[in-house]
Amino acid sequence: MKILAIETSCDETAIALLDCTGSIVKPKFKVLEDVLHSQTKLHEQYGGVFPMMAKRSHTENIIPLLLSVLKIKKIETEVKLENSKIKEKIKKILEKDRGLFEIFEKYIFSIKKPKIDAITVTEGPGLEPTLWVGINFAKALGLLWNIPVFGVDHMQGHFFSVLLNRKKMPLKYPALALLVSGGHTELVLSKKPLKYEVLGKTRDDAVGEAFDKVARILGLPYPGGPQISKFAEIARKEKLSKNLIDKKIILPRPMIHSKDLDFSFSGIKTAVLYLTQKLGKIDGQVQKEIACEFEEAVVEVLVSKTSKAIETHNPKTLIVAGGVSANKYLKNEINKLQKTYPDLQILFPDKKLTGDNAIMIGMAGYLAIKAGQKSTNKMVAQGNLKISD
Ligand code: KG4
Ligand code: ZN
């Protein structure tokens, strides 16, 4: 089955074309095309994502990305669509995304219907204005080409992002997932494919959000995760080489001893703020030490709660996915769990699939189709969609 996948839930516009075969338990995925436009540069100056600006950028980039996926370089002649009923319907679908219909009319009407069996698109969770761009675009394409459209849960996308390039070893259930991104931090248990139970989640900030906010406090650019991680690594190496055991900078490990599997990261961000206020002017060295202590505190909590969930639920697989799963220190510390749980299959996505992408939306979409999900043209953006819905 050939799937065209679209992702616009936050600040990446992404489209992929996948060839999907196999069953729910043993799927096989081949990525035929994969393109992505990141809005990082656009949002960097503000230190975070502005939904309406993000929406405009998605609207501007989604058609060039589709043309690139379909390998269409130049439109020879503009074709006027004969079926004006369809044209009117598409116009109505795209009317809220300013300018999108005009470009759609100019470029997409003249394309020959591609060999695609299904279109999958992120329907939530995420920023509603940006989700709508992808959803409306998918609906318009589906209508024009008469191809079924399926909504995909973004977090299920992250969950299944570990499946790419896993031809031999299928995912073993029950699978426990630590999903860590800019908008989410949750421990999810999946006893069988496509069934989820949220064991614990953040009560306030997501872990990626905490990385971004702490980076801002330290004067580091957005997104903060990679920057903090880089600084922390340097500080850790220096500490080791100088044998510096006595730490001057100490941050809390929020909720590490709580009996539940919930998280809280807003207090640690505030602790960093107070610390910097107390220290006054902070130089590069202190910046690195705070980054290091912050990363270690956060990772300690994530690993501790994950171990607790493993102890209680005895999963066969542990998935760590989402933007923060690119963090090298987290990966190292999680992999240490292998010693205690030698039979546990520990899976991280390829680096390229840690952040938002369309490949994961294609893979999760394929599995949902295989499980019998129906296509719909009534799909709406669901900013707060829950993985267990
Ligand atoms: O999954 P993602 O790309 O988007 C959302 O769905 O939110 O996650 C983005 C988040 C950002 O907060 C970013 O700072 C964080 O992932 N991130 C990292 C690293 N790389 C990205 N956090 C810690 N360490 C990293 N290396
Ligand atoms: Zn994400």
Side-chain angles (χ1 to χ4, degrees):
M1 176 185 279
K2 248 194 196 173
I3 290 185
L4 181 79
I6 302 171
E7 154 68 36
T8 62
S9 71
C10 188
D11 59 348
E12 331 269 18
T13 323
I15 305 187
L17 192 60
L18 269 70
D19 194 10
C20 311
T21 51
S23 64
I24 294 183
V25 274
K26 246 183 166 175
K28 268 196 200 164
F29 302 103
K30 193 173 166 203
V31 179
L32 305 173
E33 296 295 333
D34 170 40
V35 292
L36 184 144
H37 174 266
S38 169
Q39 302 174 7
T40 305
K41 281 266 162 299
L42 178 70
H43 302 297
E44 199 179 45
Q45 52 190 317
Y46 307 104
V49 181
F50 267 80
M52 292 323 277
M53 250 161 72
K55 175 189 159 92
R56 192 171 339 130
S57 172
H58 285 301
T59 308
E60 282 164 11
N61 288 295
I62 203 158
I63 289 183
L65 289 180
L66 179 72
L67 296 178
S68 150
V69 158
L70 298 178
K71 299 247 169 289
I72 292 161
K73 290 208 178 74
K74 218 169 87 196
I75 302 292
E76 298 297 344
T77 45
E78 280 182 35
V79 173
K80 291 277 167 243
L81 195 70
E82 278 159 29
N83 188 339
S84 62
K85 250 195 193 153
I86 288 190
K87 183 174 163 176
E88 280 315 305
K89 275 190 188 166
I90 290 177
K91 195 171 183 177
K92 200 154 178 33
I93 291 172
L94 298 178
E95 72 188 356
K96 288 209 183 84
D97 305 303
R98 208 180 330 140
L100 194 56
F101 175 73
E102 288 70 25
I103 324 173
F104 197 97
E105 185 179 32
K106 185 166 175 195
Y107 291 100
I108 309 295
F109 284 167
S110 44
I111 298 173
K112 209 171 108 214
K113 178 180 171 177
K115 288 198 178 80
I116 293 167
D117 304 295
I119 299 172
T120 63
V121 61
T122 307
E123 61 179 336
L127 305 169
E128 291 204 351
T130 68
L131 286 164
W132 273 117
V133 179
I135 291 172
N136 288 338
F137 188 59
K139 281 183 183 174
L141 290 178
L143 187 67
L144 179 68
W145 293 333
N146 194 22
I147 296 172
V149 180
F150 300 86
V152 176
D153 177 325
H154 182 84
M155 298 316 285
Q156 287 193 38
H158 279 304
F159 185 100
F160 289 118
S161 64
V162 296
L163 287 183
L164 194 69
N165 303 328
R166 294 189 58 76
K167 281 173 217 129
K168 289 196 190 105
M169 281 208 291
L171 207 81
K172 290 186 216 152
Y173 289 85
L176 172 73
L178 173 67
L179 302 178
V180 276
S181 71
H184 289 81
T185 302
E186 48 193 17
L187 273 163
V188 174
L189 184 69
S190 176
K191 288 189 183 149
K192 51 183 182 180
L194 299 152
K195 294 278 176 250
Y196 308 91
E197 186 189 331
V198 178
L199 304 176
K201 60 180 183 334
T202 182
R203 294 187 180 174
D204 38 60
D205 291 354
V207 63
E209 190 181 352
F211 267 94
D212 296 338
K213 286 178 176 169
V214 166
R216 202 149 94 183
I217 296 169
L218 296 179
L220 300 173
Y222 172 86
Q227 293 294 328
I228 299 246
S229 166
K230 208 163 79 189
F231 272 34
E233 206 177 326
I234 301 172
R236 207 168 291 120
K237 273 193 193 137
E238 284 172 359
K239 256 198 296 188
L240 281 177
S241 66
K242 290 186 201 149
N243 214 0
L244 270 176
I245 319 155
D246 55 325
K247 281 201 292 186
K248 284 187 208 77
I249 290 164
I250 297 169
L251 291 169
R253 270 66 178 153
M255 292 184 75
I256 198 159
H257 298 302
S258 74
K259 288 210 174 65
D260 54 34
L261 296 170
D262 280 350
F263 304 91
S264 164
F265 294 108
S266 88
I268 190 165
K269 164 203 69 190
T270 315
V272 172
L273 183 67
Y274 289 157
L275 185 66
T276 53
Q277 282 168 352
K278 201 175 88 185
L279 292 171
K281 199 169 176 294
I282 46 168
D283 60 15
Q285 189 55 33
V286 178
Q287 221 177 17
K288 287 189 198 98
E289 279 174 33
I290 297 177
C292 183
E293 171 65 2
F294 168 75
E295 185 176 70
E296 290 182 2
V298 160
V299 168
E300 219 175 294
V301 175
L302 291 173
V303 174
S304 158
K305 294 276 168 157
T306 305
S307 313
K308 210 178 266 177
I310 298 171
E311 281 296 321
T312 318
H313 298 277
N314 215 3
K316 292 200 168 116
T317 305
L318 170 64
I319 291 169
V320 184
V324 184
S325 71
N327 186 284
K328 275 197 229 156
Y329 185 70
L330 173 66
K331 194 168 182 177
N332 247 335
E333 295 301 300
I334 288 278
N335 279 332
K336 284 183 187 165
L337 294 175
Q338 196 76 80
K339 256 196 175 161
T340 321
Y341 308 103
D343 297 329
L344 184 70
Q345 181 183 42
I346 300 179
L347 304 176
F348 281 80
D350 288 354
K351 174 91 191 344
K352 196 176 113 176
L353 297 198
T354 54
D356 292 345
N357 63 86
I359 296 174
M360 69 182 195
I361 301 304
M363 295 195 291
Y366 175 69
L367 298 176
I369 295 168
K370 276 281 177 192
Q373 184 179 320
K374 296 275 170 282
S375 77
T376 173
N377 53 10
K378 295 204 172 66
M379 195 192 310
V380 293
Q382 296 179 65
N384 295 317
L385 184 65
K386 307 267 179 305
I387 194 166
S388 49
D389 282 351

